[in-house]
Amino acid sequence: MSLSFEGRVVLVTGAGGGLGRDYALAFAERGASVVVNDLGGHMKGGGKSSAAADKVVEEIRAKGGKAVANYDSVEDGEKLIQSALDAFGRIDIVVNNAGILRDRSFARTSDLDWDLIQRVHLRGSFLVTRAAWNHMKTQKFGRIIMTTSAAGIYGNFGQANYSAAKLGMLGLSNTLAIEGRKYNIHCNTIAPVAGSRLTETIMPPELVASLKSEYVAPLVLWLCHEQCQENGSLFEVGGGWVGKLRWERSLGRTVRQKNQAMTPEAVRDQWDKICDFTDATKPTSVGESLQSVVAVLSQVESGGEVGMNPTAAAASASGINPAEAVGQKLPPTTFTFTHTQCILYALGVGMSTKDPDHLRFLYEGHEDFSCLPSFGVIPSQAAMMEGGLSSLPGLNIDLTQVLHGEQYLELFKPLPTSGTLRSESSIADVLDKGSGAVILLDVNTYCGGELICYNQFSVFVVGAGGFGGKRTSNKAVAPLPPPKRAPDAVMIDSTTRDQAALYRLSGDWNPLHIDPSFAAMGGFKAPILHGLCSFGFAARHVLKQFAGNDPSRFKAIKVRFAKPVMPGQSLQTEMWKEGNRIHIQCRVKETGDVVLTGAYVDLHGAPEASPESLTQGEGLQSELVFAEIGRRIKDSGSELVNKVNAVFGWEITKDGKNAAQWTIDLKNGSGSLHKGPYTGKADVTFTVSDEDFMTVVQGKLDPQKAFFSGKLKVRGNIMLSQKLEVILKDYAKL
């Protein structure tokens, strides 16, 4: 099917002859309405005439096409676009083609020679395009062509002014391609090789005659058609040939070490390797161009070995290849730490001496001094921080495009507060998500020969998808949505302005979290908080709310990172209790943005009372009853949950003082019995003395009489007390 431009309005600058004329004729022939702009000046920029533009308009109209002439300078960009709006009501396509020459050797180039070239080529293209930009944004369509030159790409004697302007147009085009993408505005650059008044000064006459401008126009039309999705590209075109250009970069060499000065001698000594284009990379964005810098910064700051550019191995690979990558192992890493690192981490995730409960994680002299469970990510993060992923076969990835998507941590025993841990990492799977690739990195961490914790890093590599791989994996620990009800508990903590600066001391040295200029390159107004810092906040919220800050009860945590947090914002963790699983969702209080989603924490059940540990006459008599209740829940908890569906709290007193607290949870999971303070919410709570409790369960005292006489106090849903018989019946078995 032929390409049609019916309904499109095109502006071609410098269309009175040469390339511009052929563009205008070609667009009109395919149905476009064309604004033919030409000042009518001579090649060096002087003079003015309407004849050139009028002649092209006449040619178009003679063939039945639609066209109007415009005689303004491209420095009057608004007037050119207004001509299109007045004549045709819109503007869809701008071809920046106008140009002049004032060739001089650099030493002989005057201010006027320089300024005129910049004004017509670079400033003129800027002004015309800017005038059209908002119209294109509003209509969600636009196509822009910038015209560079071989002189701009490669340089040419006697054309310093022209070369500078032409390469400037390429830079302008690349940025407009990025800014316009979301509005369906595409901008590309061509470097035409064609016979024209601008090339006749540097080409032999016979070559000028054979390089017809009609051999360039088809590329321009294709790039401007709505079917073409090319954007931000550079093409050389001429004589019927079209070629796409891209940058190439050597692998380079890192010439500094941690705590050592970088010297010119070090650069000199590595010069051959710096300039060696063997296995060269081909960056296509600012992010890709920073790939080496980011990887080297992390390695140098962490004291890792730095030699060849970390992209070397990745560059030699063929791209994302799951068959090669899955099962590959990274070199083992070791992590030696003392109580100092444990305390520093706790401070990094917001713990404070303002809360007495936090002291056991902040003071090494505390009788219960412990390491926060979420510290388990720290020994394993070396696999991510040192850029090792890109060194594996089958993973030709750009480290600057790697995003931390999800995290799973499982503990097999409480973490020690000091020692040396060894981590072994391997690629569990590689998934194709279309717009990117997901790499599942499994890390097992050992203390001595004992497995102490397991991490799964799920990382998303932007732009690395489309390799034909599978989209899902049974090896991935999946996130889970929270229940569709109000949360059972909510905790809010404020981060400080220095939260990221403090957290990074635990080993994540990415400049994105500390350097404003580096953060700006990533599109952030300021350095952002580490995702694993928010992860640590949420983990300790659950630990406090549902486990009494007991690290031994912490089993696992899974989160998906949804949005960044800025240091100084408040983190609000919403929690839903479902048995021993606590579903969580974390959001920024100030904005409402959800930052952790699909998240949950698994806890070990609270220690239950054991009948074997209690004998008649020792302690409270009621302990025997609760021990029997605990046994029944173990045997038939699911059945009891179905019958009762409630949480009962008991406050047992002796001699007028609170002597024990029990919670019978027959609402969540398969039921459970908790002794001590309960951080969840009971549906009904009973307060009774140990002696009166025994007379009630033995049937010697009617519960209603106990209630009306004040011996049994009830808070909450009093109607649920009718279900107590299911729990307390057959006490005589004791």
Side-chain angles (χ1 to χ4, degrees), residues 1-82:
M1 180 182 290
S2 61
L3 299 178
S4 171
F5 287 87
E6 284 289 343
R8 296 299 185 195
V9 177
V10 183
L11 165 65
V12 182
T13 67
L19 286 166
R21 170 183 172 275
D22 275 3
Y23 299 157
L25 292 173
F27 276 116
E29 184 180 344
R30 291 175 179 265
S33 302
V34 183
V35 177
V36 179
N37 162 263
D38 203 289
L39 184 63
H42 58 68
M43 184 179 67
K44 293 189 176 181
K48 184 173 183 179
S49 170
S50 63
D54 287 341
K55 183 177 179 181
V56 176
V57 170
E58 289 173 7
E59 286 186 73
I60 292 172
R61 290 177 175 173
K63 295 178 180 180
K66 294 167 284 189
V68 296
N70 175 275
Y71 319 115
D72 294 305
S73 165
V74 288
E75 291 190 86
D76 295 316
E78 293 285 353
K79 293 182 179 179
L80 274 68
I81 300 303
Q82 194 59 50

Side-chain angles (χ1 to χ4, degrees), residues 138-213:
T138 300
Q139 66 200 22
K140 294 292 191 294
F141 179 86
R143 296 292 186 267
I144 300 163
I145 298 293
M146 296 289 180
T147 307
T148 187
S149 162
I153 300 169
Y154 308 109
N156 194 41
F157 184 87
Q159 292 190 306
N161 51 358
Y162 182 72
S163 299
K166 285 301 188 184
L167 195 59
M169 292 177 70
L170 175 60
L172 174 61
S173 176
N174 290 342
T175 296
L176 295 184
I178 295 169
E179 293 189 15
R181 184 182 297 125
K182 65 181 178 180
Y183 303 108
N184 192 26
I185 302 174
H186 297 173
C187 189
N188 292 286
T189 305
I190 64 167
V193 182
S196 70
R197 65 178 186 171
L198 297 190
T199 56
E200 65 186 13
T201 62
I202 57 173
M203 289 183 181
E206 61 275 11
L207 185 57
V208 171
S210 63
L211 290 173
K212 298 178 181 179
S213 55

Side-chain angles (χ1 to χ4, degrees), residues 622-640:
S622 57
E623 296 231 10
L624 286 170
V625 178
F626 285 108
E628 171 63 12
I629 292 172
R631 184 193 64 75
R632 291 180 183 176
I633 291 175
K634 273 187 175 181
D635 292 343
S636 54
S638 297
E639 180 184 346
L640 289 172

Side-chain angles (χ1 to χ4, degrees), residues 657-674:
K657 296 180 180 179
N658 192 1
Q661 289 178 266
W662 295 88
T663 304
I664 304 170
D665 184 347
L666 294 177
K667 190 174 187 179
N668 300 296
S670 57
S672 58
L673 176 68
H674 304 272

Side-chain angles (χ1 to χ4, degrees), residues 227-240:
Q227 291 180 11
C228 182
Q229 296 303 303
E230 193 71 33
N231 190 29
S233 298
L234 168 64
F235 299 89
E236 286 186 311
V237 53

Side-chain angles (χ1 to χ4, degrees), residues 253-503:
R253 194 76 177 179
T254 304
V255 293
R256 80 177 180 97
Q257 302 289 339
K258 186 175 182 180
N259 299 325
Q260 295 182 17
M262 179 176 170
T263 66
E265 290 79 13
V267 177
R268 175 200 63 198
D269 295 343
Q270 298 292 339
W271 192 246
D272 288 345
K273 292 184 175 64
I274 290 170
C275 299
D276 182 0
F277 277 84
T278 303
D279 293 327
T281 60
K282 299 171 179 65
T284 60
S285 66
V286 170
E288 289 184 26
S289 77
L290 290 172
Q291 175 181 350
S292 302
V293 177
V294 173
V296 168
L297 279 173
S298 296
Q299 283 192 315
V300 170
E301 292 304 317
S302 64
E305 287 295 320
V306 180
M308 286 186 64
N309 184 312
T311 62
S316 64
S318 59
I320 297 290
N321 186 340
E324 289 186 40
V326 174
Q328 290 288 338
K329 295 182 178 180
L330 280 73
T333 59
T334 58
F335 178 75
T336 301
F337 66 110
T338 67
H339 64 269
T340 302
Q341 281 76 28
C342 300
I343 295 170
L344 193 59
Y345 174 81
L347 293 169
V349 296
M351 286 202 137
S352 168
T353 54
K354 294 178 182 178
D355 189 332
D357 290 344
H358 292 180
L359 202 59
R360 69 178 296 177
F361 302 104
L362 297 175
Y363 175 42
E364 71 283 4
H366 192 281
E367 61 181 357
D368 294 319
F369 179 60
S370 303
C371 185
L372 273 173
S374 54
F375 182 78
V377 300
I378 300 300
S380 65
Q381 68 184 1
M384 293 291 297
M385 295 300 105
E386 295 179 7
L389 286 179
S390 64
S391 68
L392 295 178
L395 294 182
N396 183 7
I397 60 174
D398 173 1
L399 294 176
T400 65
Q401 299 301 301
V402 172
L403 304 175
H404 195 171
E406 299 177 13
Q407 183 72 29
Y408 177 74
L409 165 66
E410 183 172 356
L411 299 180
F412 301 104
K413 62 180 299 184
L415 296 169
T417 56
S418 63
T420 297
L421 305 178
R422 179 176 56 86
S423 295
E424 297 178 356
S425 309
S426 62
I427 304 299
D429 219 335
V430 180
L431 309 179
D432 187 349
K433 296 295 187 179
S435 61
V438 170
I439 300 171
L440 300 179
L441 177 67
D442 283 352
V443 184
N444 288 303
T445 300
Y446 299 85
C447 183
E450 185 178 10
L451 179 63
I452 194 168
C453 67
Y454 160 72
N455 279 271
Q456 184 177 85
F457 293 83
S458 176
V459 297
F460 186 82
V461 187
V462 179
F467 51 86
K470 60 185 180 181
R471 292 185 62 86
T472 59
S473 172
N474 58 10
K475 297 177 183 177
V477 180
L480 297 173
K484 294 182 179 179
R485 55 181 171 85
D488 298 319
V490 177
M491 287 188 67
I492 300 173
D493 252 330
S494 296
T495 67
T496 69
R497 285 292 302 274
D498 295 319
Q499 202 72 57
L502 182 57
Y503 182 85

